């Protein structure tokens, strides 16, 4: 749903006010971040910093307008960072303290089908807790297994997903099972 002209002008005013009043800024990537997690981060930052999210084209336009009004402003460097799912955290306080708060609110997210893996996923060898009827599932992923004590046991450590690879449906399902 497109934003009304009134809401856009409010957003422009808000961003220009933040850029004017705050001397420091973090650019945060918010891929796979839920609303509850973002809400708790905003709560923890209250009084220390302000979080602003928005549409990239609107943020770029607003920052360009600000740079035109204030030539030579360091804000110009922020324009190129408006790519992907990003937001800004403005502060006048200690960057280290704000960074600690941001990192303390980072949570690992389960692998979603089609998303890019932010890290390598290695499944350790040992019992899986899956019943022997699911051996075909492991065979399709070419994972060596054996059955011991009524459950499937992985024989070797298995690199399931490499960093930067797309997560496939069978791999995501396996991680869900484990």
């Amino acid at each position: 749903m497109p934003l009304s002209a009134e809401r856009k002008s409010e957003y422009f005013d808000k961003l220009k006010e933040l850029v004017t009043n705050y001397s420091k800024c973090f650019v945060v990537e918010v891929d796979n971040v839920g609303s509850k997690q973002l809400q708790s981060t905003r709560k923890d930052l209250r009084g220390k910093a302000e979080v602003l999210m928005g549409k990239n084209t609107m943020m770029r336009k607003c920052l360009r307008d600000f740079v035109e009004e204030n030539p030579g402003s360091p804000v110009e460097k922020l324009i190129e960072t408006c790519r992907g799912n990003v937001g800004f955290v403005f502060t006048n306080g200690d960057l280290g303290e704000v960074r600690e708060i941001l990192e303390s609110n980072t949570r690992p997210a389960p692998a979603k089908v089609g998303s890019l893996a932010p890290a390598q996923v290695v499944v350790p060898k040992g019992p899986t807790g899956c019943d022997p009827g699911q051996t075909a599932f492991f065979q399709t992923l070419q994972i060596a297994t054996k059955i011991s004590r009524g459950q499937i046991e992985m024989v070797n450590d298995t690199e399931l997903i490499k960093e930067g690879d797309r997560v496939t449906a069978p791999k995501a399902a396996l991680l869900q099972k484990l």
Side-chain angles (χ1 to χ4, degrees), residues 52-173:
L52 184 72
M53 309 299 291
K55 293 184 174 181
N56 291 343
T57 50
M58 264 183 27
M59 289 193 289
R60 280 196 297 266
K61 182 173 180 358
C62 183
L63 292 172
R64 275 194 208 102
D65 292 350
F66 184 83
V67 169
E68 283 175 17
E69 293 169 14
N70 306 294
S73 172
V75 172
E76 192 169 356
K77 295 172 187 160
L78 293 176
I79 296 171
E80 288 85 47
T81 62
C82 294
R83 300 268 183 263
N85 204 357
V86 296
F88 297 120
V89 178
F90 293 96
T91 185
N92 281 327
D94 180 34
L95 287 175
E97 183 183 338
V98 174
R99 184 183 175 135
E100 278 180 33
I101 294 169
L102 291 172
E103 287 178 346
S104 71
N105 281 295
T106 303
R107 308 271 181 277
K112 291 182 183 167
V113 177
S115 65
L116 288 176
Q120 177 183 6
V121 178
V122 176
V123 181
K125 66 180 182 179
T128 61
C130 297
D131 64 278
Q134 298 178 358
T135 53
F137 190 74
F138 287 89
Q139 287 173 345
T140 59
L141 292 169
Q142 297 174 345
I143 298 173
T145 60
K146 66 180 181 180
I147 297 172
S148 65
R149 297 191 187 130
Q151 64 179 343
I152 298 173
E153 187 174 313
M154 292 177 59
V155 178
N156 303 318
D157 288 349
T158 306
E159 182 182 3
L160 195 61
I161 303 170
K162 291 184 175 129
E163 185 174 344
D165 284 357
R166 290 235 177 257
V167 179
T168 61
K171 290 178 180 180

Side-chain angles (χ1 to χ4, degrees), residues 15 18-19 22 24-25 48-50 52 88-92:
L15 183 54
L18 291 172
V19 168
Y22 290 99
K24 301 169 189 164
C25 175
K48 298 179 186 89
E50 274 194 65
L52 184 72
F88 297 120
V89 178
F90 293 96
T91 185
N92 281 327

